Amino acid sequence: MLPTLYSFRRCPYAMRARLALDVSSQGFRVVEVALRDKPAEMLRASPKGTVPVLIDTDGTVIDESLDIMLWALRRSDPEQWLAPELDDLATMRSLIRHFDEHFKGHLDRYKYPNRFVDADAKLSRSEAVISLQLLESRLQSSSYLFGNRVALADMAIAPFVRQFSKVDPPWFASLPLPNTSRWLAAILDSPRFVRIMQPNAA
């Protein structure tokens, strides 16, 4: 019997969960959720109805993506995602929190302005770029955000930068963020990211 992960392939929150489960080599069963027809068992476990949701074999429910990452990595962390070369876990979590709270809000208003009464897509796009400049600065002296190997922050943040880059790819490519573009491409082209993006039938 394996833990069950309710996921949606293109959701950045679900991507980060799948990445951590993959690197930790935790066995798990994926249920690809059709967002317009969410499984009753998922809604019973997590009434808020958002993915990802992990149900462990003992019935424990984890329905926050970063908590799923930490759950997996605390069981097995062979690439030391929780122990970066530079700084520490607390510093990584602070940067992740900025992207979850600030960058993601502006990303949504940029990508889906019709969903927000007060949305100013151009302003939100500019605010999001300010956040990306934080990454650009960190990446000037290392291949990844916290050293020359992947760590938790890279895989927690990259799915959202990916989503931002796909709204207007030519414009994104024109930004003076060469280090961030290189970093993002390295993650998206990695065998692990390609693997976790393989389609699963809903």
Side-chain angles (χ1 to χ4, degrees), residues 33-181:
V33 173
L35 297 182
R36 294 184 180 181
D37 186 20
K38 297 172 184 175
E41 59 271 25
M42 184 191 96
L43 294 173
R44 283 195 296 270
S46 179
K48 68 178 184 174
T50 60
V51 293
V53 176
L54 181 80
I55 303 179
D56 201 353
T57 53
D58 63 0
T60 299
V61 176
I62 309 174
D63 60 4
E64 294 291 340
S65 60
L66 187 59
D67 290 340
I68 294 173
M69 295 186 82
L70 295 171
W71 176 90
L73 294 168
R74 284 169 176 159
R75 281 157 178 73
S76 177
D77 187 11
E79 296 185 9
Q80 296 185 290
W81 286 14
L82 298 181
E85 290 181 333
L86 303 174
D87 295 313
D88 53 21
L89 178 58
T91 308
M92 286 199 295
R93 294 191 70 165
S94 177
L95 184 62
I96 294 168
R97 188 178 309 113
H98 171 84
F99 273 79
D100 283 358
E101 296 175 358
H102 183 81
F103 181 83
K104 182 60 166 64
H106 288 296
L107 166 59
D108 288 345
R109 284 167 172 77
Y110 166 46
K111 185 174 183 181
Y112 310 110
N114 294 337
R115 296 183 183 179
F116 301 90
V117 175
D118 60 343
D120 181 331
K122 288 187 176 180
L123 176 61
S124 286
R125 187 174 75 170
S126 297
E127 287 292 326
V129 170
I130 292 172
S131 292
L132 294 180
Q133 289 168 347
L134 297 175
L135 305 187
E136 186 70 14
S137 178
R138 295 196 67 93
L139 292 165
Q140 285 180 356
S141 57
S142 60
S143 299
Y144 295 95
L145 295 174
F146 287 83
N148 288 316
R149 58 174 170 79
V150 166
L152 176 72
D154 299 285
M155 294 309 202
I157 292 171
F160 298 95
V161 181
R162 171 189 179 273
Q163 189 178 54
F164 183 80
S165 74
K166 289 184 173 296
V167 179
D168 186 343
W171 173 83
F172 182 83
S174 74
L175 291 173
L177 299 171
N179 297 315
T180 303
S181 294

Side-chain angles (χ1 to χ4, degrees), residues 19 155 185-195:
L19 286 163
M155 294 309 202
I187 292 173
L188 300 188
D189 293 340
S190 69
R192 171 161 293 115
F193 197 90
V194 171
R195 184 164 56 247

